[in-house]
Amino acid sequence: MTDTLDIKITKTTHSRLQETDFTNLVFGRTFSDHMLVADYADGEWKNFEIVPYGEIAFSPAISALHYGQAFFEGIKAYKHADGQVSVFRPDKNAARFNKSAERLCMAELPEDLFVQSIAALVDLDRDWIPTEAGHSLYIRPFMFATDPYLGVSPSTTYKFMVLTGPVGPYFTKPLRVKFETHYTRAAEGGFGYAKAAGNYGGSMLPFKKAAEEGFDQLIWTDAKEHLYVEEMGAANVMFVLDGTLVTPSTRDTILDGVTRDTVLTLAKSWGMPVEERRVSIAEVVEGAKNGTLTDAFGAGTAATIAPVGSLNYNGEEYTLSDPLTREFSQKVLKTLDDIRYGKTTDTFGWNYIV
Ligand SMILES: *Cc1c(COP(=O)(O)O)cnc(C)c1O
């Protein structure tokens, strides 16, 4: 059942739109004029408000800061040539939002409230959506615990917020990637499948070390043996091996990506064989050696389709084909863009029109 959400709107008296440089967007640095805030207390969500983007106050004792009761989502909105605005598959993010909430013992948010909150905010700041190719409005919903209490127990109050900001392409060149065989992102029984803040804090040192070794990204491997592929940075990873689209199956160590699902759905609709299963480093390396690995890319909302240029395993480097010559990922990119920017029929019903 859908209740219409009552959102109190306070508009900014000074829009920053005119002073914003849209030609030089750095991911996550530019914020639109407004943000959404809502509170959870006494067992219900209330006080949905859109206010000018800015600082907020809370107790320094909140468990989000001390024990990591915090998680987020990432979604994008696009402007079509006719001025229409669409958000890409927000229902999927709404469902995942609640999976994260459940795992972190936090309050769930009814899916229609999640989607309506985003739609209202995007609608108000629609002039912030860039129209250039590869550009979009990044939407960052998140939730955190707000009880002023240092005991290690679930908070009884939470804040739900949404920020938005214009973004350009995340990666602009093929990535030099290594298989990470020392550090672990997620273990069985853990919360790798949740978009929990702590998962990203823990990944920063491995990233920093990989960057110091000259890599753009790393591919996480299983916690037990470091022999199986899990994800690439904060994106899912997909390969075309011998004409089959192959990707690690989702489990509790893997984030169930919306982009991943989108690519799998497209591939199946084109009659391409698809396998979701355990993927070993060995078979990927073998494919890189004998030429049966014809495509490799990260798939995520922020990164979109990020081609892997080369793979490094234990110091051995394997250079892959020029991404521009890769049939599958090029077709996926083009089809995705055509759908998201409203250039073709949205056969799958993925665009939520604002
Ligand atoms: C967000 C994220 C993804 C990609 O998910 P999308 O829904 O496609 O954006 C994949 N892996 C991790 C670890 C992530 O945080």
Side-chain angles (χ1 to χ4, degrees), residues 46-288:
K46 50 192 153 194
N47 310 333
F48 285 82
E49 261 195 86
I50 291 176
V51 295
Y53 171 84
E55 294 178 2
I56 56 167
F58 44 73
S59 155
I62 63 173
S63 100
L65 293 177
H66 300 270
Y67 310 123
Q69 261 201 314
F71 67 95
F72 65 96
E73 270 302 327
I75 314 177
K76 277 177 174 173
Y78 300 83
K79 193 172 268 177
H80 305 185
D82 65 359
Q84 204 170 49
V85 168
S86 64
V87 179
F88 194 70
R89 306 188 77 183
D91 52 314
K92 297 284 283 181
N93 301 86
R96 192 171 64 197
F97 203 65
N98 285 332
K99 274 200 209 166
S100 296
E102 189 208 16
R103 182 60 180 83
L104 295 169
C105 229
M106 296 168 67
E108 293 188 24
L109 176 66
E111 292 185 19
D112 55 310
L113 299 190
F114 179 92
V115 174
Q116 285 183 55
S117 296
I118 286 164
L121 183 64
V122 168
D123 187 29
L124 184 63
D125 279 336
R126 61 200 297 141
D127 292 344
W128 283 85
I129 308 174
T131 48
E132 239 187 291
H135 288 59
S136 58
L137 188 78
Y138 185 74
I139 304 166
R140 168 53 62 86
F142 58 108
M143 192 197 296
F144 59 97
T146 51
D147 277 5
Y149 172 55
L150 288 181
V152 185
S153 67
S155 187
T156 61
T157 62
Y158 297 95
K159 237 181 225 313
F160 167 57
M161 295 187 64
V162 187
L163 308 177
T164 72
V167 294
Y170 197 83
F171 296 118
T172 48
K173 61 176 178 63
L175 304 171
R176 181 168 181 241
V177 177
K178 76 157 183 175
F179 289 104
E180 176 59 60
T181 52
H182 175 69
Y183 292 106
T184 295
R185 190 189 85 91
E188 278 171 40
F191 54 94
Y193 69 89
K195 242 174 152 69
N199 283 333
Y200 305 84
S203 72
M204 288 179 191
L205 181 67
F207 273 132
K208 180 170 171 254
K209 296 207 164 179
E212 282 166 4
E213 294 166 31
F215 297 105
D216 303 307
Q217 270 295 325
L218 50 80
I219 292 181
W220 299 107
T221 57
D222 71 286
K224 258 188 210 152
E225 301 176 284
H226 294 299
L227 292 177
Y228 295 91
V229 174
E230 301 242 295
E231 301 202 53
M232 188 174 102
N236 293 109
V237 66
M238 308 184 100
F239 306 97
V240 176
L241 269 168
D242 245 337
T244 298
L245 178 63
V246 177
T247 191
S249 40
T250 52
R251 62 188 85 93
D252 52 10
T253 56
I254 290 181
L255 203 287
D256 187 357
V258 179
T259 317
R260 176 187 179 280
D261 179 78
T262 300
V263 175
L264 289 173
T265 304
L266 286 176
K268 285 176 197 163
S269 79
W270 296 331
M272 182 168 185
V274 164
E275 288 177 9
E276 294 177 67
R277 56 169 173 81
R278 289 205 96 180
V279 180
S280 69
I281 300 175
E283 64 181 306
V284 175
V285 165
E286 185 54 32

